[in-house]
Amino acid sequence: MQVLKFGGSSVANAKNINSVVSIIQQAKKDDDKSVVILSALGGITDALLEAVTLASKGNISYKEKLHLIEHRHLNTVKELIPLDQQSSVLSMVKKRSNEIEDTCNGVFLLRELSLRTKDSIISYGELLSTQIFAAKLKSIGIINTWKDARELIVTNSEYGNATVDFATTNKNIIDFFSTVDTEICIVPGFIGSDKNGNTTTLGRGGSDYTAAIIGAAVSASVIEIWTDVSGMMTADPRLVSNAKIIQHISYQEAMELSHFGAKVIYPPTIQPVMNKGIPVCIKNTFAPSDPGTWIRNDIKVDGNTIRGISSINNLALISLEGSGMVGIPGFSKRLFEALSNEKINVILITQSSSEHSICVGIGEANADMAKEVIDEAFAYEIETKKVEPLVVEKGLAIIALVGDNMKNHPGISGKMFGVLGRNGVNVRAIAQGSSERNISAVIALADVQKAINVLHEEFFETTYKQVNLFISGTGNVGSKLLAQLQQQQQHLQDHLRLQVRVAGISNSRNMVFNDEGLDLSKWNELLKNSEPMNMQEFTGAILKKNLRNSVFIDVTANADIAKLYPQFLQKSISVVACNKIASSSSFEYYKNLKDLAREFNALYLFETNVGAGLPVIGTLNDLLRSGDKVNRIEAVLSGTLNFVFNNYTGEKSFAKVVRLAQKEGYTEPDPRLDLNGSDVMRKILILARETGEKMEMEDISNKSFMTESCMKGDVENFYNEMEKHEAHFLKLVQVAIQEGKKLKFVASFKEGKASVGLQHIDPQHDFYHLYGKDNAVLFYTDRYTEQPLVIKGAGAGAEVTASGVFADIIRAAG
Ligand code: ADP
Ligand code: ASP
Ligand code: MG
């Protein structure tokens, strides 16, 4: 005998029921008898519950609900069964519907709804679906027997979640099936009856259990659970889009996964079949040829240590703490007794080895009741200050890694908590079963989706890592960066296994989001047609989205954006800044950012702050990390000034050459910051700080070559004044040319002191041959003594800066 169970979505409407019929016809070809268990039509159990609840509250609209329920069944019959055979089935539906309505009317009048009445109402879902299905089979010539499960499955009177009396039930089932002479027998799932003959139910999702109870009693050859997915998956497919089908899984693993929230199978289902070693197969009604999942003992090893990841939402942690608990036996007994007296289910337990506290995870709905009964149970100890009043924390969830093989593989929990930590998921409590088949962690409910996804990536997707970028700034550098990202997306996926998504973009006018990743071929259009920019909302959205492996990228020159970084770092969101303001503001702010990054396992990267795309900061850090000591830095750090002095010969005015630099995109958005040396000061400040120097902008001496009047007023005034002072600039170059030297704006750092200013560079010097917008940095260190370590190349320009930002992003993603 084989048992086939079809869930609510498999029998949701006539079309789906026809798919079930085909599966039954196929099964009939094996010359085994089949027991077919059905759930209610999808959504009907909930609808019945809603109707009777409305009635109990005196809300007359229950009648409408009932009307809809009745019509759904009537329509299904009309679509499924030929007209000439419909009448008896339609009158069955009407009769059952009248019974439902009679009960609901009673509830409405009394304004009272007992658990017993609830069970009696919701049992109609399965009664109706199975009777319609039996009639359908009959109408196409498949002889079958319909059997009311309430005559087979006997339970206690715990309505809503009854416990099966297996001795009586097994006997009933064996006796009954020994008399059945049809090949197909149809039984409603989910329902039973107590010894007084009242209808009971086996808990939501309980039709799976009915299949297991019957399958175990008759020693079925197989139990097939037909549903709307092609098997048990490595994680809930609604949370993890890359979840994969598990082809083989042991009973224990399946049990753990379902206990920890994998809804595809109702947890108690496994127990009866495991004892008898009956294989269970989970199959997809809508893709019947998919292999599905096999649950059985002799499973094949597939190289995965972890079989699946699951989660239970809406958990509360209750903690009993106090010095009076230490070493005294019986405390936990009293705690659990108090819970069990109220039938509060314990989901997870941890106790610190000091025995100072015991921490229990329970359903959030039970938390208030738990607090009441436990505080009462320990009233004396609380009063005498041996124990603190119970601490209740809500808004939590459990995530669990499950796998038989974990016990042979050390390091799994390290990996698990490492990846959670890197993503800013705070772990409140941890439990590992002694079987080592499961490691569970309690985390905030808001973190569940992110946590499950990063764990899934870590343990199942050696293939890809998804990185979610939020980019502020779409100017010269920002737009180049977006173009580079678009161009490299496929390459990153193929070669670095990185799935880089831009989940948000903002500029000073607009902001746009898409959790699936914005289409970078039309980001401009998307941004333009989106909501207006609001910095607080932009930040809030990034934090709330809580996407895994998030990176915030600042390609603005905006001081307010630079103030946002701490909020991101504190949530373990890495920050990549092209904007120099944060790293060159107060030392305290810079230091705080570095500390936050360390504390929250994020990266704060700003390579492009110095030398655009040139690897200056990275090289400096490599030197320091490897134990070298930097004694002196000499650098030409302004692409703009270099461009200006390389191109200024007196033919074109100085002001015109500066304008050209701005037009070419080498200058800061405000070119005065380049010309007055501030930008170079910021850069040498950042380099000095990276060597460990506690330095402020005021500590840097700047011998400015600009006339004071140029720096007053706005940018236009700046250009006008430069024109007026052309003679001043001409003199500067002429003096240098006469000496056979070139003018370079040089930054130096030595013995804790930094300075910037124009220098006359002679032809032997490394700086002499710097062309165009080049930068050069010379590091004199303990290891590079005679010849400095030289880094040289284009130090300005949107394309190279964007590629430097890109490189930081890849670093942050890795
Ligand atoms: P049925 O009505 O057939 O009993 P359920 O809705 O009870 O179906 O269970 C199937 C659903 O379980 C799937 O549609 C899927 O969304 C959900 N689910 C949750 N976790 C898992 C998992 N680990 N593997 C497969 N499905 C899962
Ligand atoms: N119809 C019941 C429910 O929705 C039982 C089941 O579908 O398994 O919970
Ligand atoms: Mg189910």
Side-chain angles (χ1 to χ4, degrees):
M1 191 138 30
Q2 56 186 354
V3 178
L4 290 80
K5 177 262 169 178
F6 296 85
S9 54
S10 303
V11 293
N13 50 44
K15 182 168 167 268
N16 295 1
I17 293 176
N18 277 322
S19 307
V20 175
V21 172
S22 317
I23 293 166
I24 302 289
Q25 280 168 326
Q26 198 61 36
K28 238 176 115 259
K29 290 192 186 139
D30 321 333
D31 47 15
D32 217 1
K33 284 188 175 174
S34 299
V35 186
V36 178
I37 316 282
L38 302 185
S39 291
L41 308 197
I44 288 293
T45 312
D46 284 330
L48 287 167
L49 267 177
E50 266 172 62
V52 72
T53 308
L54 285 171
S56 72
K57 291 183 178 149
N59 187 333
I60 195 75
S61 66
Y62 75 91
K63 292 215 180 244
E64 253 167 69
K65 267 252 151 266
L66 292 181
H67 185 74
L68 289 176
I69 294 170
E70 179 176 349
H71 272 263
R72 216 175 125 197
H73 288 101
L74 292 174
N75 288 340
T76 307
V77 172
K78 286 177 195 160
E79 278 181 56
L80 272 177
I81 295 172
L83 199 59
D84 57 337
Q85 297 172 52
Q86 275 175 15
S87 68
S88 64
V89 196
L90 291 176
S91 52
M92 178 280 295
V93 172
K94 286 198 175 127
K95 182 173 162 280
R96 294 263 188 224
S97 300
N98 289 341
E99 288 165 14
I100 299 172
E101 185 161 4
D102 286 347
T103 311
C104 285
N105 290 344
V107 169
F108 179 74
L109 289 175
L110 294 170
R111 302 278 194 277
E112 192 188 273
L113 176 58
S114 66
L115 290 174
R116 186 174 113 188
T117 308
K118 244 189 207 175
D119 269 3
S120 129
I121 289 284
I122 57 179
S123 69
Y124 280 96
E126 270 71 6
L127 292 171
L128 280 161
S129 68
T130 46
Q131 286 193 297
I132 293 171
F133 188 74
K136 165 70 189 178
L137 289 189
K138 200 167 143 224
S139 76
I140 55 168
I142 302 179
I143 316 287
N144 65 84
T145 309
W146 180 85
K147 179 68 179 173
D148 190 335
R150 293 173 296 186
E151 292 166 17
L152 300 176
I153 297 176
V154 177
T155 70
N156 67 3
S157 301
E158 199 184 309
Y159 300 105
N161 195 12
T163 302
V164 176
D165 166 359
F166 274 98
T168 318
T169 301
N170 286 343
K171 184 173 179 305
N172 289 348
I173 293 172
I174 291 166
D175 289 351
F176 169 71
F177 281 99
S178 66
T179 66
V180 173
D181 50 9
T182 56
E183 275 177 45
I184 307 271
C185 181
I186 296 167
V187 181
F190 184 47
I191 60 176
S193 63
D194 65 11
K195 60 177 186 301
N196 302 318
N198 293 319
T199 301
T200 56
T201 60
L202 303 174
R204 292 304 305 271
S207 298
D208 297 338
Y209 193 29
T210 307
I213 295 165
I214 295 181
V218 300
S219 300
S221 55
V222 63
I223 293 175
E224 296 178 357
I225 305 285
W226 291 82
T227 181
D228 59 355
V229 283
S230 292
M232 199 159 198
M233 299 173 115
T234 47
D236 187 338
R238 292 164 298 184
L239 296 177
V240 176
S241 54
N242 291 333
K244 300 184 185 70
I245 304 292
I246 303 169
Q247 291 193 333
H248 303 276
I249 185 168
S250 71
Y251 292 111
Q252 281 90 352
E253 287 171 325
M255 197 143 66
E256 296 271 350
L257 273 179
S258 67
H259 266 292
F260 279 94
K263 185 188 173 212
V264 64
I265 194 150
Y266 181 53
T269 308
I270 305 294
Q271 194 71 48
V273 288
M274 179 169 74
N275 294 343
K276 289 207 153 185
I278 299 170
V280 178
C281 187
I282 302 179
K283 301 269 292 174
N284 189 343
T285 304
F286 311 105
S289 54
D290 284 359
T293 298
W294 280 100
I295 308 176
R296 56 181 161 211
N297 271 330
D298 51 339
I299 61 157
K300 290 192 194 128
V301 179
D302 64 1
N304 266 346
T305 337
I306 304 297
R307 193 73 66 191
I309 305 170
S310 53
S311 61
I312 306 178
N313 289 349
N314 303 320
L315 181 94
L317 264 191
I318 53 172
S319 322
L320 192 64
E321 294 187 12
S323 51
M325 287 170 61
V326 182
I328 302 174
F331 266 92
S332 30
K333 176 169 172 274
R334 286 165 59 198
L335 175 84
F336 291 116
E337 234 165 36
L339 291 172
S340 94
N341 288 343
E342 292 304 318
K343 298 204 165 33
I344 295 175
N345 186 28
V346 169
I347 305 174
L348 166 145
I349 308 166
T350 59
Q351 180 169 28
S352 69
S353 57
S354 69
E355 299 179 43
H356 190 78
S357 77
I358 182 160
C359 188
V360 177
I362 59 173
E364 199 173 63
N366 297 323
D368 295 336
M369 175 58 81
K371 164 101 180 133
E372 205 173 294
V373 295
I374 292 172
D375 280 351
E376 196 179 291
F378 289 93
Y380 172 74
E381 286 83 358
I382 292 172
E383 201 180 316
T384 52
K385 305 242 182 291
K386 283 192 180 134
V387 169
E388 305 289 330
L390 191 75
V391 178
V392 178
E393 233 181 303
K394 295 183 184 171
L396 301 172
I398 298 185
I399 46 170
L401 288 189
V402 172
D404 282 344
N405 237 338
M406 279 188 337
K407 57 175 165 289
N408 305 321
H409 289 79
I412 305 250
S413 53
K415 212 164 154 188
M416 174 180 185
F417 296 114
V419 66
L420 292 177
R422 277 198 297 286
N423 273 280
V425 176
N426 189 26
V427 173
R428 288 286 301 103
I430 299 169
Q432 175 165 29
S434 56
S435 65
E436 288 188 55
R437 190 174 289 123
N438 157 340
I439 308 175
S440 17
V442 177
I443 63 172
L445 188 57
D447 284 334
V448 168
Q449 179 143 15
K450 178 164 80 171
I452 300 251
N453 274 286
V454 290
L455 289 173
H456 197 267
E457 252 170 20
E458 186 75 19
F459 289 102
F460 292 103
E461 298 166 43
T462 35
T463 43
Y464 298 113
K465 174 172 180 185
Q466 191 189 102
V467 185
N468 293 293
L469 309 184
F470 295 91
I471 300 179
S472 260
T474 58
N476 282 345
V477 180
S479 52
K480 286 280 187 300
L481 174 66
L482 286 161
Q484 291 179 6
L485 283 167
Q486 186 199 347
Q487 193 215 328
Q488 283 302 97
Q489 241 163 356
Q490 196 58 44
H491 179 88
L492 293 175
Q493 181 149 335
D494 296 345
H495 298 275
L496 292 185
R497 302 260 168 231
L498 285 180
Q499 213 169 45
V500 177
R501 292 175 171 185
V502 177
I505 304 179
S506 72
N507 59 20
S508 53
R509 297 169 299 280
N510 297 89
M511 57 183 191
V512 63
F513 293 102
N514 186 339
D515 292 1
E516 300 304 313
L518 291 156
D519 177 353
L520 293 185
S521 67
K522 51 175 183 199
W523 66 263
N524 223 325
E525 202 181 311
L526 294 171
L527 185 61
K528 225 178 276 163
N529 300 323
S530 63
E531 17 176 349
M533 171 62 170
N534 173 316
M535 226 176 267
Q536 227 169 350
E537 279 175 26
F538 189 66
T539 315
I542 297 173
L543 299 178
K544 180 145 177 277
K545 283 178 189 300
N546 207 1
L547 297 179
R548 63 190 183 277
N549 308 317
S550 292
V551 183
F552 174 73
I553 297 131
D554 179 2
V555 270
T556 71
N558 183 310
D560 291 327
I561 302 263
K563 288 189 191 130
L564 304 175
Y565 306 169
Q567 294 185 58
F568 295 126
L569 293 171
Q570 268 160 6
K571 287 282 172 193
S572 303
I573 296 177
S574 291
V575 173
V576 170
C578 173
N579 187 349
K580 300 182 195 79
I581 295 176
S583 285
S584 59
S585 60
S586 73
F587 180 80
E588 193 190 338
Y589 191 66
Y590 159 87
K591 173 86 172 29
N592 182 39
L593 293 176
K594 291 234 139 190
D595 289 348
L596 285 175
R598 195 169 310 124
E599 184 180 346
F600 291 96
N601 256 316
L603 288 173
Y604 171 45
L605 299 173
F606 42 89
E607 177 60 88
T608 51
N609 281 191
V610 180
L614 294 179
V616 180
I617 295 177
T619 307
L620 173 58
N621 281 312
D622 285 345
L623 290 174
L624 297 170
R625 270 196 290 266
S626 67
D628 204 351
K629 182 166 170 286
V630 176
N631 302 315
R632 194 172 127 214
I633 303 173
E634 292 285 327
V636 170
L637 292 173
S638 171
T640 303
L641 290 178
N642 213 33
F643 176 88
V644 168
F645 286 109
N646 278 336
N647 286 285
Y648 179 56
T649 53
E651 257 169 60
K652 257 191 228 141
S653 74
F654 190 75
K656 288 213 174 67
V657 178
V658 175
R659 266 200 209 274
L660 188 62
Q662 179 165 22
K663 197 169 142 251
E664 296 284 318
Y666 301 149
T667 66
E668 286 292 295
D670 180 347
R672 292 172 301 178
L673 293 178
D674 293 301
L675 271 288
N676 73 1
S678 309
D679 190 57
V680 174
M681 284 167 76
R682 295 200 294 208
K683 290 172 180 168
I684 194 71
L685 176 72
I686 294 169
L687 289 183
R689 284 176 173 176
E690 288 290 290
T691 67
E693 193 68 35
K694 191 177 167 205
M695 187 180 278
E696 303 285 357
M697 274 294 258
E698 304 81 77
D699 301 332
I700 303 174
S701 77
N702 177 0
K703 297 181 228 69
S704 177
F705 63 89
M706 294 295 281
T707 64
E708 244 175 68
S709 61
C710 294
M711 290 303 158
K712 291 189 183 132
D714 58 10
V715 175
E716 257 331 286
N717 175 71
F718 159 76
Y719 279 115
N720 293 338
E721 284 297 316
M722 280 194 293
E723 284 293 2
K724 278 193 210 156
H725 289 89
E726 175 61 15
H728 162 74
F729 298 110
L730 198 57
K731 195 165 162 225
L732 288 176
V733 272
Q734 279 171 347
V735 172
I737 290 170
Q738 275 159 18
E739 289 175 9
K741 295 182 178 174
K742 280 189 182 173
L743 278 181
K744 298 285 164 194
F745 196 80
V746 177
S748 318
F749 171 65
K750 193 182 172 186
E751 289 165 4
K753 299 230 166 353
S755 63
V756 303
L758 266 190
Q759 288 184 14
H760 294 180
I761 301 294
D762 62 38
Q764 287 78 43
H765 198 284
D766 282 306
F767 291 161
Y768 190 84
H769 297 287
L770 281 180
Y771 301 106
K773 53 194 189 283
D774 280 0
N775 276 13
V777 183
L778 315 182
F779 288 119
Y780 295 86
T781 73
D782 279 359
R783 291 184 195 143
Y784 290 89
T785 43
E786 275 145 48
Q787 286 298 321
L789 172 66
V790 181
I791 299 163
K792 185 171 157 184
E799 197 76 58
V800 289
T801 309
S803 72
V805 174
F806 200 144
D808 270 352
I809 293 173
I810 302 303
R811 241 165 258 140

